Amino acid sequence: MRALNVLTVPAFDDNYLWLIHDGVHAAVVDPGDAEPILAALKANDLSLVAILTTHHHADHVGGVATLLQTRKVPVFGPANDRIPTVNRPLHEDDVVVIEELDLRLTVIDVPGHTRGHIAYFVKDPGWLFCGDTLFAGGCGRLFEGTPAQMLSSLDKLAALPDTTLVYCAHEYTLSNLRFARAAEPSNQAVADRLAADQAKRDRQIPTVPSTIGLEKATNPFLRVRQPALIDELRAVHKLPAFDTVSLFAALREWKNNFR
């Protein structure tokens, strides 16, 4: 079998669309815009064999209908997230098999950003396609879900192997890390990562993918149980409660208004 690779396809202002390919066939993850995907397929002489979606927002599914006009392929996606083009609805622990790529992706339910959001995990070689749930240095806004749901979703992802590559859907890393520095100012790993990722962006290099291990060391939303972060959060927001869900909700609200 040919080795699999992941091709980064930038779209809009800050989206990343992903093409999983073997040099001949390709599956696209979250094609919010068809045009850059069609261009990438043509430039790399790839044949589209599957579409994978994580949630219903337009910047993740807006290109699906156009892609289907060029090639009829299965469209995988969450069973409960209102994507009309999905013809292979998925639930927790389902396994997506794309035979042309010899690829198997395990479905993880990760509600919070939307009610039905899912992620895809490829055990070997260790890839996570997580849409807008986990970001490099941050997490998605809670548009439909609850803090308890998002915290549970992030705990699931944090339990994956540290070497897992995190393919999130946006280039939000620098703003996320500036918030991480405010939330946990004594964390030297955050300062080091911010400097390294700033250098990447200065050269127009993507900061994604990251790894689960790096997220656990620097992402405040995976570190909400850390004493230093709790102390900072309580000092800023004068929180009366110590329960983790309340702390997480306060952290997310702080990030919503952070400048």
Coordinates of all heavy atoms in Angstrom, one line a residue, residues 88-178:
R88 N -23.7 9.1 5.0 CA -23.1 8.1 5.8 C -23.1 8.7 7.3 O -22.1 9.1 7.8 CB -21.7 7.7 5.4 CG -21.6 7.2 4.0 CD -22.2 5.8 3.9 NE -21.8 5.2 2.6 CZ -22.4 5.4 1.4 NH1 -23.4 6.3 1.3 NH2 -21.9 4.8 0.3
P89 N -24.3 8.7 8.0 CA -24.3 9.3 9.3 C -23.6 8.4 10.3 O -23.6 7.2 10.3 CB -25.8 9.3 9.6 CG -26.4 8.2 8.8 CD -25.6 8.2 7.5
L90 N -22.9 9.1 11.2 CA -22.0 8.5 12.2 C -22.3 8.8 13.6 O -22.8 9.9 14.0 CB -20.5 9.0 11.9 CG -20.0 8.7 10.5 CD1 -18.7 9.4 10.2 CD2 -19.9 7.2 10.2
H91 N -21.9 7.8 14.5 CA -22.1 7.9 15.9 C -20.8 7.6 16.6 O -19.9 7.1 16.0 CB -23.2 7.0 16.4 CG -24.6 7.2 15.8 ND1 -24.9 6.7 14.6 CD2 -25.6 7.9 16.2 CE1 -26.2 7.0 14.3 NE2 -26.6 7.8 15.3
E92 N -20.8 7.8 17.9 CA -19.6 7.5 18.7 C -19.1 6.1 18.5 O -19.9 5.1 18.4 CB -19.9 7.7 20.2 CG -18.9 7.2 21.2 CD -18.0 8.4 21.7 OE1 -17.7 9.3 20.9 OE2 -17.6 8.3 22.9
D93 N -17.8 5.9 18.3 CA -17.1 4.6 18.1 C -17.4 3.9 16.8 O -16.9 2.8 16.5 CB -17.5 3.6 19.2 CG -17.0 4.1 20.6 OD1 -15.9 4.8 20.6 OD2 -17.6 3.8 21.6
D94 N -18.2 4.6 15.9 CA -18.2 4.0 14.5 C -16.8 4.1 13.9 O -16.0 4.9 14.2 CB -19.2 4.8 13.6 CG -20.7 4.5 13.9 OD1 -20.9 3.5 14.6 OD2 -21.5 5.3 13.5
V95 N -16.6 3.2 13.0 CA -15.3 3.2 12.2 C -15.6 3.4 10.8 O -16.3 2.7 10.1 CB -14.5 1.9 12.4 CG1 -13.3 1.9 11.6 CG2 -14.2 1.6 13.9
V96 N -15.0 4.5 10.2 CA -15.1 4.8 8.8 C -14.0 4.1 8.1 O -12.8 4.2 8.4 CB -15.0 6.4 8.6 CG1 -15.0 6.7 7.1 CG2 -16.1 7.1 9.3
V97 N -14.4 3.3 7.1 CA -13.4 2.6 6.3 C -13.4 3.2 4.9 O -14.5 3.2 4.2 CB -13.7 1.1 6.2 CG1 -12.7 0.4 5.4 CG2 -13.7 0.5 7.6
I98 N -12.3 3.7 4.4 CA -12.1 4.2 3.1 C -11.2 3.2 2.4 O -9.9 3.3 2.5 CB -11.6 5.6 3.1 CG1 -12.6 6.5 3.8 CG2 -11.5 6.1 1.6 CD1 -12.2 7.9 4.0
E99 N -11.7 2.3 1.6 CA -11.0 1.2 1.1 C -9.9 1.6 0.2 O -8.8 1.0 0.1 CB -11.9 0.2 0.4 CG -12.8 -0.5 1.4 CD -13.7 -1.6 0.7 OE1 -13.7 -1.7 -0.5 OE2 -14.5 -2.2 1.5
E100 N -10.2 2.6 -0.7 CA -9.2 3.1 -1.6 C -7.9 3.5 -1.0 O -6.8 3.5 -1.6 CB -9.7 4.2 -2.5 CG -10.9 3.8 -3.4 CD -12.3 4.0 -2.7 OE1 -12.3 4.1 -1.4 OE2 -13.3 4.1 -3.4
L101 N -8.0 4.0 0.2 CA -6.8 4.5 1.0 C -6.3 3.5 2.0 O -5.4 3.8 2.7 CB -7.2 5.8 1.6 CG -7.4 7.0 0.7 CD1 -8.0 8.2 1.5 CD2 -6.2 7.4 0.0
D102 N -7.0 2.4 2.2 CA -6.8 1.5 3.3 C -6.7 2.3 4.6 O -5.8 2.1 5.5 CB -5.4 0.8 3.1 CG -5.2 -0.4 4.1 OD1 -6.3 -1.0 4.5 OD2 -4.1 -0.7 4.4
L103 N -7.7 3.1 4.8 CA -7.8 4.1 5.9 C -9.0 3.8 6.8 O -10.1 3.5 6.3 CB -7.9 5.5 5.3 CG -8.1 6.6 6.3 CD1 -6.9 6.8 7.2 CD2 -8.4 8.0 5.6
R104 N -8.7 3.8 8.1 CA -9.8 3.6 9.1 C -9.7 4.7 10.1 O -8.7 5.0 10.7 CB -9.6 2.2 9.8 CG -10.0 1.0 8.9 CD -9.5 -0.3 9.3 NE -10.0 -1.4 8.5 CZ -9.6 -1.6 7.3 NH1 -8.7 -0.9 6.7 NH2 -10.2 -2.6 6.6
L105 N -10.9 5.3 10.3 CA -11.0 6.5 11.2 C -12.1 6.2 12.2 O -13.2 5.8 11.9 CB -11.3 7.8 10.5 CG -10.5 8.1 9.2 CD1 -11.2 7.7 8.0 CD2 -10.2 9.6 9.2
T106 N -11.7 6.3 13.5 CA -12.7 6.0 14.6 C -13.4 7.4 14.9 O -12.7 8.4 15.0 CB -12.0 5.5 15.8 OG1 -11.3 4.3 15.5 CG2 -13.0 5.2 16.9
V107 N -14.7 7.3 15.1 CA -15.5 8.5 15.4 C -15.5 8.7 16.9 O -15.8 7.8 17.7 CB -16.9 8.3 14.8 CG1 -17.8 9.5 15.2 CG2 -16.9 8.2 13.3
I108 N -15.3 10.0 17.3 CA -15.4 10.4 18.7 C -16.4 11.5 18.8 O -16.3 12.5 18.1 CB -14.0 10.9 19.2 CG1 -12.9 9.9 18.9 CG2 -14.1 11.3 20.7 CD1 -11.5 10.5 19.3
D109 N -17.4 11.3 19.6 CA -18.4 12.4 19.8 C -17.8 13.5 20.7 O -17.3 13.2 21.8 CB -19.7 11.8 20.6 CG -20.6 11.1 19.6 OD1 -20.5 11.3 18.4 OD2 -21.5 10.4 20.1
V110 N -17.8 14.7 20.2 CA -17.2 15.8 20.9 C -18.1 17.0 20.9 O -17.8 18.1 20.3 CB -15.8 16.2 20.3 CG1 -14.8 15.1 20.8 CG2 -15.8 16.3 18.8
P111 N -19.3 16.9 21.5 CA -20.3 18.1 21.5 C -19.7 19.2 22.3 O -18.9 19.0 23.2 CB -21.5 17.5 22.1 CG -21.0 16.4 23.0 CD -19.9 15.8 22.2
G112 N -20.2 20.4 22.0 CA -19.8 21.6 22.7 C -19.9 22.8 21.8 O -20.6 23.7 22.0
H113 N -19.1 22.8 20.8 CA -19.1 23.8 19.8 C -20.5 23.8 19.0 O -21.1 24.8 18.9 CB -17.9 23.6 18.8 CG -17.8 24.7 17.7 ND1 -17.5 26.0 18.0 CD2 -18.0 24.6 16.4 CE1 -17.5 26.7 16.9 NE2 -17.7 25.8 15.9
T114 N -20.8 22.6 18.6 CA -22.2 22.3 18.2 C -22.7 21.1 18.9 O -21.9 20.3 19.5 CB -22.3 22.0 16.7 OG1 -21.7 20.8 16.3 CG2 -21.7 23.2 15.9
R115 N -24.0 20.8 18.9 CA -24.5 19.7 19.7 C -24.0 18.3 19.1 O -23.9 17.4 19.9 CB -26.0 19.7 19.7 CG -26.6 20.8 20.6 CD -28.1 20.7 20.7 NE -28.8 21.0 19.5 CZ -29.1 22.3 19.2 NH1 -28.9 23.3 20.0 NH2 -29.7 22.5 18.0
G116 N -23.8 18.2 17.8 CA -23.5 16.9 17.2 C -22.1 16.8 16.7 O -21.8 15.8 16.0
H117 N -21.2 17.7 17.1 CA -19.9 17.7 16.6 C -19.2 16.4 16.8 O -19.3 15.8 17.9 CB -19.1 18.8 17.3 CG -17.9 19.3 16.6 ND1 -16.8 18.5 16.2 CD2 -17.5 20.5 16.2 CE1 -15.9 19.2 15.6 NE2 -16.3 20.5 15.6
I118 N -18.4 15.9 15.8 CA -17.6 14.7 15.9 C -16.2 15.0 15.5 O -15.9 16.0 14.9 CB -18.2 13.5 15.1 CG1 -18.1 13.8 13.6 CG2 -19.6 13.1 15.6 CD1 -18.5 12.6 12.7
A119 N -15.3 14.1 15.9 CA -13.9 14.1 15.5 C -13.6 12.7 14.9 O -14.2 11.7 15.2 CB -13.0 14.5 16.7
Y120 N -12.5 12.7 14.1 CA -12.0 11.5 13.5 C -10.6 11.2 14.0 O -9.7 12.0 13.9 CB -12.0 11.6 12.0 CG -13.3 11.9 11.4 CD1 -13.7 13.2 11.1 CD2 -14.2 10.8 11.0 CE1 -15.0 13.4 10.5 CE2 -15.4 11.1 10.4 CZ -15.8 12.4 10.2 OH -17.0 12.7 9.6
F121 N -10.4 10.0 14.5 CA -9.0 9.6 15.0 C -8.5 8.4 14.2 O -9.2 7.4 14.0 CB -9.1 9.2 16.5 CG -7.8 8.6 17.0 CD1 -6.7 9.4 17.0 CD2 -7.8 7.4 17.6 CE1 -5.5 8.9 17.5 CE2 -6.6 6.9 18.1 CZ -5.4 7.6 18.1
V122 N -7.3 8.6 13.6 CA -6.6 7.5 12.9 C -5.5 7.0 13.8 O -4.5 7.7 14.1 CB -6.0 8.0 11.6 CG1 -5.4 6.9 10.8 CG2 -7.1 8.7 10.7
K123 N -5.7 5.8 14.3 CA -4.8 5.2 15.3 C -3.4 5.1 14.8 O -2.4 5.4 15.5 CB -5.3 3.9 15.8 CG -4.5 3.3 16.9 CD -5.1 2.0 17.4 CE -4.2 1.4 18.6 NZ -4.8 0.1 19.0
D124 N -3.3 4.6 13.6 CA -1.9 4.5 13.0 C -2.0 5.2 11.6 O -2.8 4.8 10.8 CB -1.6 3.0 12.8 CG -0.2 2.8 12.2 OD1 0.6 3.7 12.2 OD2 0.0 1.7 11.7
P125 N -1.3 6.4 11.5 CA -0.1 6.8 12.3 C -0.3 7.7 13.5 O 0.6 8.2 14.0 CB 0.7 7.5 11.2 CG -0.3 8.1 10.3 CD -1.5 7.2 10.3
G126 N -1.6 8.0 13.8 CA -1.8 8.9 15.0 C -2.2 10.3 14.6 O -1.5 11.2 14.8
W127 N -3.4 10.4 13.9 CA -3.9 11.7 13.4 C -5.3 11.9 14.0 O -6.1 11.0 14.1 CB -4.1 11.7 11.9 CG -2.8 11.5 11.1 CD1 -1.5 11.8 11.6 CD2 -2.7 11.0 9.8 NE1 -0.6 11.5 10.6 CE2 -1.3 11.0 9.4 CE3 -3.6 10.6 8.9 CZ2 -0.9 10.6 8.2 CZ3 -3.2 10.2 7.6 CH2 -1.8 10.2 7.3
L128 N -5.5 13.2 14.4 CA -6.8 13.6 14.9 C -7.3 14.8 14.1 O -6.6 15.8 14.0 CB -6.7 14.0 16.4 CG -8.0 14.6 17.0 CD1 -9.1 13.6 17.2 CD2 -7.7 15.3 18.4
F129 N -8.5 14.6 13.5 CA -9.2 15.7 12.8 C -10.4 16.1 13.6 O -11.4 15.4 13.7 CB -9.6 15.2 11.4 CG -8.5 14.7 10.6 CD1 -8.1 13.4 10.6 CD2 -7.7 15.6 9.8 CE1 -7.0 13.0 9.8 CE2 -6.7 15.2 9.0 CZ -6.3 13.9 9.0
C130 N -10.2 17.3 14.3 CA -11.1 17.6 15.4 C -11.9 18.9 15.1 O -12.6 19.4 16.0 CB -10.3 17.8 16.7 SG -8.9 18.9 16.5
G131 N -12.0 19.3 13.8 CA -12.8 20.5 13.5 C -12.6 21.7 14.4 O -11.5 22.2 14.5
D132 N -13.7 22.1 15.0 CA -13.6 23.3 15.9 C -13.7 23.0 17.4 O -14.1 23.8 18.2 CB -14.7 24.3 15.5 CG -14.4 25.0 14.2 OD1 -13.3 24.8 13.6 OD2 -15.2 25.8 13.7
T133 N -13.4 21.7 17.8 CA -13.5 21.4 19.2 C -12.2 21.8 19.9 O -12.2 22.6 20.8 CB -13.8 19.9 19.4 OG1 -15.1 19.6 18.8 CG2 -13.8 19.5 20.8
L134 N -11.1 21.2 19.5 CA -9.8 21.5 20.0 C -9.0 22.3 19.0 O -8.9 21.8 17.9 CB -9.1 20.2 20.4 CG -7.6 20.3 20.9 CD1 -7.5 21.1 22.2 CD2 -7.0 18.9 21.0
F135 N -8.5 23.4 19.4 CA -7.6 24.2 18.6 C -6.2 24.2 19.1 O -6.0 23.8 20.3 CB -8.1 25.7 18.5 CG -9.3 25.9 17.8 CD1 -10.3 26.8 18.3 CD2 -9.5 25.4 16.5 CE1 -11.5 27.0 17.6 CE2 -10.7 25.6 15.8 CZ -11.7 26.4 16.4
A136 N -5.2 24.5 18.3 CA -3.9 24.7 18.8 C -3.9 25.8 19.8 O -4.1 27.0 19.5 CB -2.9 25.0 17.6
G137 N -3.7 25.5 21.1 CA -3.7 26.5 22.2 C -5.0 26.9 22.7 O -5.1 27.7 23.6
G138 N -6.1 26.3 22.2 CA -7.4 26.8 22.6 C -8.5 25.7 22.3 O -8.2 24.6 22.1
C139 N -9.8 26.2 22.4 CA -10.9 25.3 22.0 C -12.0 26.2 21.4 O -11.9 27.4 21.4 CB -11.5 24.6 23.2 SG -12.4 25.6 24.4
G140 N -13.0 25.6 20.8 CA -14.0 26.3 20.1 C -15.0 27.0 21.0 O -15.1 26.6 22.2
R141 N -15.7 28.0 20.5 CA -16.7 28.6 21.3 C -17.9 27.7 21.5 O -18.1 26.8 20.7 CB -17.2 29.9 20.6 CG -16.3 31.1 20.7 CD -16.8 32.3 19.9 NE -15.9 33.4 20.0 CZ -16.1 34.4 20.8 NH1 -17.2 34.4 21.7 NH2 -15.3 35.5 20.8
L142 N -18.7 27.9 22.5 CA -19.8 27.1 22.8 C -21.1 27.7 22.2 O -21.8 28.4 22.9 CB -20.0 26.9 24.4 CG -18.7 26.5 25.1 CD1 -19.1 26.3 26.6 CD2 -18.2 25.2 24.6
F143 N -21.3 27.4 20.9 CA -22.4 28.0 20.2 C -23.7 27.2 20.6 O -24.8 27.8 20.6 CB -22.2 27.9 18.7 CG -21.2 29.0 18.3 CD1 -20.0 28.6 17.6 CD2 -21.4 30.3 18.5 CE1 -19.1 29.5 17.1 CE2 -20.5 31.3 18.0 CZ -19.3 30.8 17.4
E144 N -23.6 25.9 20.8 CA -24.8 25.1 21.0 C -24.7 24.3 22.3 O -25.7 24.0 22.9 CB -25.1 24.2 19.8 CG -25.4 25.0 18.5 CD -25.5 24.0 17.3 OE1 -25.5 22.8 17.5 OE2 -25.5 24.6 16.2
G145 N -23.5 23.8 22.6 CA -23.4 22.9 23.7 C -23.1 23.7 25.0 O -23.2 24.9 25.1
T146 N -22.8 22.9 26.1 CA -22.7 23.4 27.4 C -21.2 23.3 27.8 O -20.4 22.5 27.2 CB -23.5 22.6 28.4 OG1 -23.0 21.3 28.5 CG2 -25.0 22.6 28.0
P147 N -20.8 24.0 28.9 CA -19.4 23.9 29.4 C -19.1 22.4 29.8 O -18.0 21.9 29.5 CB -19.4 24.8 30.5 CG -20.3 25.9 30.2 CD -21.5 25.2 29.5
A148 N -20.1 21.8 30.4 CA -19.9 20.4 30.8 C -19.6 19.5 29.6 O -18.7 18.6 29.6 CB -21.1 19.9 31.6
Q149 N -20.3 19.7 28.5 CA -20.1 18.9 27.3 C -18.8 19.1 26.7 O -18.1 18.2 26.4 CB -21.2 19.2 26.3 CG -22.6 18.6 26.6 CD -23.6 19.1 25.5 OE1 -23.7 20.2 25.1 NE2 -24.5 18.1 25.1
M150 N -18.4 20.4 26.6 CA -17.1 20.7 26.0 C -15.9 20.2 26.9 O -15.0 19.6 26.3 CB -16.9 22.2 25.8 CG -15.6 22.6 25.1 SD -15.4 21.9 23.4 CE -16.0 23.3 22.4
L151 N -16.0 20.3 28.2 CA -15.0 19.8 29.0 C -14.9 18.3 28.9 O -13.8 17.8 28.8 CB -15.3 20.1 30.5 CG -14.4 19.6 31.5 CD1 -13.0 20.2 31.3 CD2 -14.9 19.9 33.0
S152 N -16.0 17.6 28.8 CA -16.0 16.1 28.6 C -15.3 15.8 27.2 O -14.5 14.9 27.1 CB -17.4 15.6 28.7 OG -17.4 14.2 28.4
S153 N -15.7 16.6 26.2 CA -15.1 16.3 24.9 C -13.6 16.5 24.9 O -12.9 15.7 24.3 CB -15.8 17.3 23.9 OG -17.2 17.0 23.7
L154 N -13.2 17.6 25.5 CA -11.7 17.8 25.5 C -11.0 16.8 26.3 O -9.9 16.4 26.0 CB -11.5 19.2 26.1 CG -11.9 20.4 25.2 CD1 -11.7 21.7 25.9 CD2 -11.2 20.4 23.8
D155 N -11.6 16.3 27.4 CA -11.0 15.2 28.2 C -10.8 14.0 27.3 O -9.8 13.3 27.5 CB -11.9 14.9 29.4 CG -11.7 15.9 30.5 OD1 -10.8 16.7 30.5 OD2 -12.6 15.9 31.5
K156 N -11.8 13.7 26.5 CA -11.7 12.5 25.6 C -10.4 12.7 24.7 O -9.7 11.7 24.5 CB -12.9 12.4 24.7 CG -14.2 11.9 25.3 CD -15.3 11.7 24.3 CE -16.6 11.4 24.9 NZ -17.6 11.3 23.8
L157 N -10.3 13.9 24.1 CA -9.2 14.1 23.2 C -7.9 14.1 23.9 O -6.9 13.6 23.4 CB -9.4 15.4 22.4 CG -10.7 15.5 21.6 CD1 -10.8 16.8 20.8 CD2 -10.9 14.3 20.7
A158 N -7.8 14.6 25.1 CA -6.6 14.7 25.9 C -6.1 13.3 26.3 O -4.9 13.1 26.6 CB -6.8 15.5 27.1
A159 N -7.0 12.3 26.3 CA -6.7 10.9 26.6 C -6.0 10.2 25.5 O -5.5 9.1 25.7 CB -7.9 10.2 27.1
L160 N -6.0 10.8 24.3 CA -5.3 10.1 23.2 C -3.8 10.2 23.4 O -3.3 11.0 24.2 CB -5.7 10.9 21.9 CG -7.2 10.8 21.5 CD1 -7.4 11.7 20.3 CD2 -7.6 9.4 21.2
P161 N -3.1 9.4 22.7 CA -1.6 9.4 22.9 C -1.0 10.7 22.7 O -1.4 11.5 21.8 CB -1.1 8.4 21.8 CG -2.3 7.4 21.6 CD -3.5 8.3 21.8
D162 N 0.0 11.1 23.4 CA 0.7 12.4 23.4 C 1.2 12.7 22.0 O 1.3 13.9 21.6 CB 1.8 12.5 24.4 CG 1.3 12.8 25.8 OD1 0.0 12.9 26.0 OD2 2.1 12.8 26.7
T163 N 1.6 11.7 21.2 CA 2.2 11.9 19.9 C 1.2 12.1 18.8 O 1.5 12.4 17.7 CB 3.0 10.7 19.5 OG1 2.2 9.5 19.6 CG2 4.2 10.5 20.4
T164 N -0.1 12.0 19.1 CA -1.2 12.2 18.2 C -1.1 13.6 17.5 O -1.0 14.6 18.3 CB -2.6 12.1 18.8 OG1 -2.7 10.7 19.4 CG2 -3.7 12.3 17.8
L165 N -1.1 13.7 16.2 CA -1.0 15.0 15.5 C -2.5 15.6 15.5 O -3.4 14.9 15.2 CB -0.5 14.8 14.1 CG 1.0 14.5 14.0 CD1 1.3 14.2 12.5 CD2 1.9 15.5 14.6
V166 N -2.6 16.8 15.9 CA -3.9 17.5 16.0 C -4.1 18.4 14.8 O -3.5 19.4 14.7 CB -4.0 18.3 17.3 CG1 -5.3 19.1 17.4 CG2 -3.8 17.4 18.5
Y167 N -5.0 17.9 13.9 CA -5.3 18.7 12.7 C -6.7 19.4 13.0 O -7.7 18.9 12.7 CB -5.5 17.8 11.5 CG -4.2 17.2 11.0 CD1 -3.8 15.9 11.5 CD2 -3.4 17.8 10.1 CE1 -2.6 15.3 11.1 CE2 -2.2 17.3 9.7 CZ -1.8 16.0 10.2 OH -0.6 15.4 9.7
C168 N -6.5 20.6 13.5 CA -7.7 21.4 13.8 C -8.0 22.3 12.5 O -7.2 22.3 11.6 CB -7.6 22.3 15.0 SG -6.2 23.5 14.9
A169 N -9.0 23.1 12.6 CA -9.6 23.7 11.3 C -9.3 25.2 11.2 O -9.7 25.8 10.2 CB -11.1 23.5 11.2
H170 N -8.5 25.8 12.1 CA -8.3 27.2 12.0 C -6.9 27.6 12.5 O -6.3 26.9 13.3 CB -9.3 28.0 12.8 CG -10.7 28.0 12.3 ND1 -11.1 28.9 11.3 CD2 -11.8 27.2 12.6 CE1 -12.4 28.6 11.1 NE2 -12.8 27.6 11.8
E171 N -6.4 28.7 11.9 CA -5.1 29.2 12.3 C -5.4 30.3 13.4 O -5.4 31.5 13.1 CB -4.4 29.8 11.1 CG -3.0 30.4 11.4 CD -2.0 29.4 12.0 OE1 -1.6 28.5 11.3 OE2 -1.8 29.5 13.3
Y172 N -5.7 29.9 14.6 CA -6.0 30.8 15.7 C -4.9 30.7 16.7 O -5.0 31.3 17.8 CB -7.3 30.3 16.4 CG -8.6 30.5 15.7 CD1 -9.7 29.8 16.1 CD2 -8.7 31.3 14.6 CE1 -10.9 30.0 15.4 CE2 -9.9 31.5 13.9 CZ -11.0 30.8 14.3 OH -12.2 31.0 13.7
T173 N -3.8 30.1 16.4 CA -2.8 29.7 17.4 C -2.2 30.9 18.2 O -2.2 30.9 19.4 CB -1.7 28.9 16.8 OG1 -2.3 27.8 16.0 CG2 -0.8 28.3 17.9
L174 N -1.8 31.9 17.5 CA -1.1 33.0 18.2 C -2.1 33.7 19.2 O -1.7 34.0 20.4 CB -0.6 34.0 17.2 CG 0.6 33.5 16.3 CD1 1.1 34.6 15.4 CD2 1.7 32.9 17.1
S175 N -3.3 34.0 18.8 CA -4.2 34.6 19.7 C -4.6 33.7 20.9 O -4.7 34.1 22.0 CB -5.5 35.1 19.0 OG -6.2 33.9 18.4
N176 N -4.7 32.4 20.6 CA -4.9 31.5 21.7 C -3.8 31.4 22.7 O -4.0 31.4 23.9 CB -5.1 30.0 21.1 CG -6.5 29.9 20.4 OD1 -7.4 30.6 20.7 ND2 -6.6 28.9 19.6
L177 N -2.6 31.5 22.2 CA -1.4 31.4 23.1 C -1.2 32.7 23.9 O -0.7 32.7 25.0 CB -0.1 31.0 22.3 CG -0.1 29.6 21.7 CD1 1.2 29.4 20.9 CD2 -0.2 28.6 22.8
R178 N -1.6 33.8 23.3 CA -1.5 35.0 24.1 C -2.5 35.0 25.2 O -2.2 35.4 26.3 CB -1.8 36.2 23.2 CG -0.7 36.6 22.2 CD -0.9 37.9 21.6 NE -1.9 37.9 20.5 CZ -1.6 37.6 19.2 NH1 -0.3 37.4 18.9 NH2 -2.5 37.6 18.3

